Amino acid sequence: MAPKPITSPVPESWYPTLSVVMLAIGLVITASFFIYEATSSRRTRSLAKELTTGALASFFLGFGSLFLLLASGVYV
């Protein structure tokens, strides 16, 4: 029995779209994080909100960057 080749769970034609969408979402979340930090006082800030927003932005920017690299032919 011959082994099956490893394939991506996401079709390659979706890479450019996924990269644009995920990077856009990540940048919007990053912008909201900076706006939150600039407009809230030290007493009204919430560590949970900051960590959640940072984690979401990191997730979307990380996967957006991954799909951008894959779309441009850099297979990581």
Side-chain angles (χ1 to χ4, degrees):
M1 185 169 147
K4 294 181 182 179
I6 297 173
T7 59
S8 171
V10 178
E12 286 187 32
S13 60
W14 290 10
Y15 290 170
T17 305
L18 280 173
S19 69
V20 169
V21 169
M22 293 187 112
L23 286 172
I25 292 170
L27 289 173
V28 167
I29 295 172
T30 302
S32 72
F33 177 80
F34 283 122
I35 291 170
Y36 175 75
E37 290 296 319
T39 58
S40 63
S41 67
R42 288 184 182 224
R43 293 181 186 175
T44 60
R45 288 185 187 159
S46 167
L47 180 63
K49 180 173 175 140
E50 291 178 11
L51 290 175
T52 303
T53 307
L56 275 173
S58 176
F59 174 82
F60 282 108
L61 289 174
F63 276 103
S65 300
L66 172 69
F67 283 115
L68 181 63
L69 287 169
L70 291 174
S72 63
V74 179
Y75 294 102
V76 290

